């Protein structure tokens, strides 16, 4: 039986990171100038144990915009704030499509799942608040509770996301025309852009992943941020849809529920075992960090984290 507490310490995590330095490939996302300017050599990793101890290596303190790694947490906040009714507003089936596919669920007009853009535009809109600014404040406070520290969003990144996010505007208008989005399309895109622009570092993101991995309880602060049932729902959807049209390959190869993002971050939640995050900007065609995926695979192997490992 694997130890419930991974024995990783800083030195072994550093050795793991060093073992992945020769992995090359992918390209830095260029959907907005701020992402295109990222240094491709940045490479950080952090692991959070059940005790709340954070073990980190490399550029784990470098700040970046969270991008789509925010999606599991938006879903969690929407579930918490609607008492579970968010599950009626958004599907949970994997799409096998790109993250920004202009596609809604056949028949219902709902977004297909909360891990693609359509779904995240909607879950952001479902959090508590009467105005876009109130909902922004709720999201920042909620994400901060997951991370165990105060968070804010980068105004320039958020402006850029709105300016270049034509597909997100299209998705919001489509959902509005289907009757699945209550707020205006402009409000929904502005809110989602702010959520994607929240600044985190690898350590903060690892704590966020750990909070989901430990049933909604932040292991660093001790705060029960969301119910265990909400965490279960979120981690289930991460497992099936978290890596977009690469989710099947990810589940086979890494076997840990995770969410990728175009900034090159990946957040991992191994239930009752650990939370982790990796950051390395070059991404593959599915939007997954190339070095991040390789490090995740090795971390999973080293600590027997695969959901279906069977010790083999
Ligand atoms: N800001 C990006 C978008 O909505 C996030 C995509 C991602 O990280 O996968 O287009």
């Amino acid at each position: 039986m694997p130890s419930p507490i991974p024995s990783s310490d800083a030195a072994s995590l550093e050795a793991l990171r060093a073992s992945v330095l020769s992995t090359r490939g992918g390209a830095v996302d260029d959907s907005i100038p701020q992402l295109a300017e990222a240094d491709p050599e940045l490479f950080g990793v952090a692991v959070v144990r059940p005790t709340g101890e954070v073990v980190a290596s490399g550029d784990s303190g470098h700040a970046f915009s969270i991008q789509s790694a925010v999606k599991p947490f938006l879903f969690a906040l929407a579930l918490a704030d609607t008492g579970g009714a968010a599950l009626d507003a958004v599907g949970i089936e994997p799409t096998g499509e790109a993250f920004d596919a202009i596609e809604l669920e056949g028949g219902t007009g709902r977004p297909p799942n909360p891990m693609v853009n359509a779904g995240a535009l909607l879950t952001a809109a479902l959090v508590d608040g009467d105005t876009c600014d109130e909902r922004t404040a709720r999201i920042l406070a909620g994400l901060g509770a997951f991370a165990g520290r105060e968070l804010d969003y980068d105004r320039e990144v958020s402006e850029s996301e709105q300016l270049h996010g034509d597909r997100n505007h299209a998705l919001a208008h489509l959902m509005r025309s289907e009757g699945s989005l209550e707020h205006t399309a402009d409000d929904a895109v502005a809110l989602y852009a702010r959520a994607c622009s929240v600044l985190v570092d690898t350590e903060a993101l690892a704590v966020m992943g750990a909070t989901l991995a430990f049933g909604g309880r932040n292991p660093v602060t001790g705060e029960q941020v969301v119910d265990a049932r909400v965490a279960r729902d979120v981690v289930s959807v991460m497992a099936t849809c978290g890596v977009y049209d690469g989710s099947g390959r990810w589940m086979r190869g890494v076997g840990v529920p995770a969410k990728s993002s175009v900034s090159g971050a990946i957040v991992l939640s191994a239930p009752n075992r650990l939370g982790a995050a990796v950051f390395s900007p070059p991404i593959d065609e599915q939007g997954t960090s190339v070095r991040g995926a390789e490090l995740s695979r090795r971390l999973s192997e080293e600590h027997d984290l695969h959901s279906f490992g069977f010790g083999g």
Side-chain angles (χ1 to χ4, degrees):
M1 282 291 285
S3 148
I5 301 176
S7 58
S8 63
D9 57 17
S12 73
L13 197 63
E14 175 50 27
L16 188 65
R17 197 185 75 93
S19 76
V20 182
L21 281 173
S22 59
T23 300
R24 299 259 158 208
V28 172
D29 181 72
D30 62 359
S31 61
I32 57 169
Q34 290 85 352
L35 287 176
E37 286 159 9
D39 175 356
E41 293 307 321
L42 287 167
F43 189 19
V45 56
V47 170
V48 182
R49 296 174 174 171
T51 54
E53 189 190 348
V54 181
V55 185
S57 167
D59 304 302
S60 60
H62 177 85
F64 53 85
S65 57
I66 189 168
Q67 299 294 339
S68 284
V70 79
K71 288 170 176 166
F73 307 97
L74 293 177
F75 184 35
L77 296 176
L79 286 168
D81 288 0
T82 61
L87 279 170
D88 298 325
V90 57
I92 55 166
E93 298 307 328
T95 60
E97 304 280 349
F99 66 96
D100 56 357
I102 311 286
E103 203 167 292
L104 300 180
E105 199 176 67
T108 64
R110 306 184 304 179
N113 77 64
M115 300 299 134
V116 294
N117 287 14
L121 280 155
L122 191 69
T123 53
L126 289 176
V127 305
D128 279 346
D130 292 333
T131 62
C132 188
D133 284 345
E134 282 183 22
R135 288 188 284 277
T136 303
R138 162 64 182 142
I139 287 172
L140 288 175
L143 297 179
F146 273 106
R149 65 165 93 153
E150 220 169 277
L151 297 175
D152 200 1
Y153 70 96
D154 183 316
R155 270 62 181 172
E156 279 181 23
V157 172
S158 131
E159 289 300 316
S160 231
E161 291 283 342
Q162 287 190 69
L163 196 62
H164 298 276
D166 295 316
R167 298 182 72 83
N168 292 331
H169 286 278
L171 278 166
H173 283 290
L174 187 61
M175 287 193 285
R176 184 102 172 129
S177 74
E178 290 287 332
S180 44
L181 179 67
E182 194 185 316
H183 312 304
T184 67
D186 284 349
D187 258 24
V189 173
L191 185 62
Y192 172 70
R194 290 174 185 178
C196 285
S197 309
V198 169
L199 292 174
V200 290
D201 60 24
T202 311
E203 292 181 33
L205 192 57
V207 176
M208 295 172 79
T211 300
L212 287 176
F214 299 117
R217 183 180 174 276
N218 184 319
V220 177
T221 63
E223 182 183 351
Q224 188 73 41
V225 179
V226 289
D227 286 352
R229 184 56 190 245
V230 166
R232 190 183 94 169
D233 285 345
V234 174
V235 175
S236 302
V237 179
M238 287 166 79
T240 48
C241 319
V243 190
Y244 304 131
D245 41 341
S247 296
R249 198 157 42 97
W250 179 275
M251 197 27 97
R252 177 190 169 272
V254 180
V256 178
K259 182 73 207 77
S260 56
S261 90
V262 295
S263 51
I266 304 175
V267 57
L268 298 99
S269 300
N272 301 317
R273 299 288 308 282
L274 57 77
V278 197
F279 173 66
S280 162
I283 55 173
D284 66 15
E285 275 161 18
Q286 275 90 35
T288 310
S289 167
V290 172
R291 274 182 173 165
E294 181 56 19
L295 192 146
S296 300
R297 192 188 63 74
R298 293 184 192 200
L299 184 74
S300 172
E301 206 138 278
E302 193 165 295
H303 298 295
D304 201 8
L305 298 174
H306 198 294
S307 304
F308 312 107
F310 308 125

